[in-house]
């Protein structure tokens, strides 16, 4: 039988300062970490201890007040950092996968319009087949049904716009064939010497055509015009505009100067007259005078100046032949725009007249 040890025979317990374990003094070294105690003063290096198998783990020893030496120390800050980064990457990967998969799952779902629930039926419900937006459809005829013979009209095509409406056509008489016209005068004067009415002549174009002309005066108190284009002086002096308008919108104008002050006691002017009142100038008697003292010619127009009160044959000359020319009988012909002086010498007297040429 084993004998019971007395207290004096029991080995003394030694507390290992390296691993924190208690062991009997009968051991020369700590059986847990195989380190010699302070009393023996014997220490082995780590390699010797590893070969002898005295340590549980080779690593940082636990604190003196903890048990289980060799189990490793507390985690370092670097290990904590890498652990947090790893968890963040895992969470980010999960979120990315969910964001990719969720739209694919939702696309497969069919969203039905809100409304009352249809009654249950033994036949499975059939949804109408979708029609592509660019599928051509047949155009309906007048009765409202699609015309199978008509070419298909794409659904996304723009319908042709209606042609622009033509501007309203003026009320042109059926007898009118002319497209334009001109007047034989663009300006003339009614004076005390030539107060008689003057009729404006119309030339239609193309040649041989006809048209309807409407005549108006800007101030009938100065000069009036009738339906035939005859202009008469009024009770007031001044200048007016006579307007001739042809059905269709074409119009021409003529300026009329009225200088009649004595009620018109003079003689009528020839139909070819244009310009200002007649008069005379020179060194002779008042009995000698020209039929005009100032007149205007337009391209293609001629006017014959006459001398009254003379007994001899007049001699004619003109200052600027680029404006007008004069023949031996006193006929003045338009040559170009501008103004010049016509001179007549007769019976020892010199008479003058202003001749003006218009560009059109």
């Amino acid at each position: 039988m084993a004998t019971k040890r007395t207290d004096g025979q029991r080995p003394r317990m030694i507390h290992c300062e390296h691993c924190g374990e208690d062991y009997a003094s009968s051991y020369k070294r700590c059986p847990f970490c195989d380190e010699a105690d302070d009393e023996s003063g014997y220490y082995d290096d780590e390699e010797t201890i590893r070969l002898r198998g005295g340590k549980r783990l080779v690593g940082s020893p636990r604190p003196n007040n903890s048990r289980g030496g060799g189990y490793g120390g507390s985690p370092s800050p670097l290990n904590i950092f890498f652990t947090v980064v790893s968890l963040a990457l895992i969470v980010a990967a999960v979120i990315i996968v969910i964001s990719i998969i969720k739209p694919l799952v939702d696309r497969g779902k069919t969203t039905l319009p809100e409304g009352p629930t249809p009654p249950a039926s033994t036949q499975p419900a059939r949804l109408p087949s979708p029609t592509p937006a660019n599928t051509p459809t047949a155009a309906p005829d007048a009765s409202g049904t699609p015309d199978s013979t008509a070419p298909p009209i794409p659904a996304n095509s723009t319908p042709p716009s209606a042609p622009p409406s033509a501007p309203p056509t003026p009320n042109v008489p059926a007898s009118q064939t002319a497209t334009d016209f001109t007047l034989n005068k663009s300006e003339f004067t009614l004076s005390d010497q030539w107060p008689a009415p003057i009729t404006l002549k119309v030339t239609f174009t193309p040649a041989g055509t006809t048209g309807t002309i409407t005549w108006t005066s800007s101030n009938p108190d100065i000069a009036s015009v009738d339906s035939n284009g005859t202009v008469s002086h009024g009770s007031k002096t001044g200048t007016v505009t006579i307007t001739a308008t042809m059905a269709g919108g074409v119009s021409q104008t003529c300026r009329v100067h009225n200088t009649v002050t004595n009620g018109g006691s003079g003689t009528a002017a020839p139909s070819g007259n244009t310009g200002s009142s007649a008069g005379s100038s020179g060194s002779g008697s008042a009995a000698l005078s020209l039929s005009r003292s100032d007149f205007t010619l337009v391209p293609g127009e001629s006017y014959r100046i006459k001398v009254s009160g003379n007994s001899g044959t007049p001699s004619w000359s003109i200052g600027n032949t680029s404006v007008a020319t004069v023949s031996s009988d006193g006929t003045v012909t338009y040559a170009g725009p501008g103004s010049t002086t016509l001179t007549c010498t007769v019976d020892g007297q010199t008479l003058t007249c202003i001749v003006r040429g218009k560009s059109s």
Side-chain angles (χ1 to χ4, degrees), residues 297-302 333-335:
L297 295 174
V298 296
E301 188 176 17
S302 298
T333 304
Y334 175 88

Coordinates of all heavy atoms in Angstrom, one line a residue, residues 297-302 333-335:
L297 N -40.5 115.6 -120.6 CA -40.7 114.5 -121.6 C -40.3 113.2 -120.9 O -39.4 113.1 -120.0 CB -39.8 114.7 -122.8 CG -40.1 115.9 -123.7 CD1 -39.1 116.0 -124.8 CD2 -41.5 115.7 -124.3
V298 N -40.9 112.1 -121.3 CA -40.6 110.8 -120.8 C -40.0 110.0 -122.0 O -40.1 110.4 -123.2 CB -41.8 110.0 -120.3 CG1 -42.3 110.7 -119.1 CG2 -42.9 109.9 -121.3
P299 N -39.3 108.9 -121.8 CA -38.7 108.1 -122.9 C -39.7 107.8 -124.0 O -40.8 107.3 -123.7 CB -38.2 106.8 -122.2 CG -37.9 107.3 -120.8 CD -39.0 108.2 -120.5
G300 N -39.3 108.0 -125.2 CA -40.1 107.8 -126.4 C -41.1 108.8 -126.7 O -41.9 108.7 -127.6
E301 N -41.1 110.0 -126.0 CA -42.1 111.0 -126.2 C -41.5 112.2 -126.9 O -40.3 112.5 -126.7 CB -42.7 111.5 -124.9 CG -43.9 112.4 -125.0 CD -44.5 112.8 -123.6 OE1 -43.8 112.5 -122.6 OE2 -45.6 113.3 -123.6
S302 N -42.4 112.9 -127.7 CA -42.0 114.1 -128.5 C -43.1 115.2 -128.3 O -44.2 114.8 -128.1 CB -41.7 113.8 -130.0 OG -40.7 112.9 -130.2
T333 N -37.7 116.1 -128.9 CA -37.8 114.6 -128.7 C -36.9 114.3 -127.5 O -35.7 114.8 -127.4 CB -37.3 113.9 -130.0 OG1 -38.1 114.3 -131.1 CG2 -37.4 112.4 -129.8
Y334 N -37.4 113.4 -126.7 CA -36.6 112.9 -125.5 C -35.4 112.2 -125.9 O -35.4 111.4 -126.9 CB -37.5 112.0 -124.7 CG -36.8 111.3 -123.5 CD1 -36.8 112.0 -122.3 CD2 -36.2 110.1 -123.6 CE1 -36.2 111.4 -121.2 CE2 -35.6 109.5 -122.5 CZ -35.6 110.2 -121.3 OH -34.9 109.6 -120.2
A335 N -34.3 112.5 -125.2 CA -33.0 111.8 -125.5 C -32.4 111.2 -124.2 O -31.7 110.1 -124.3 CB -32.0 112.8 -126.0

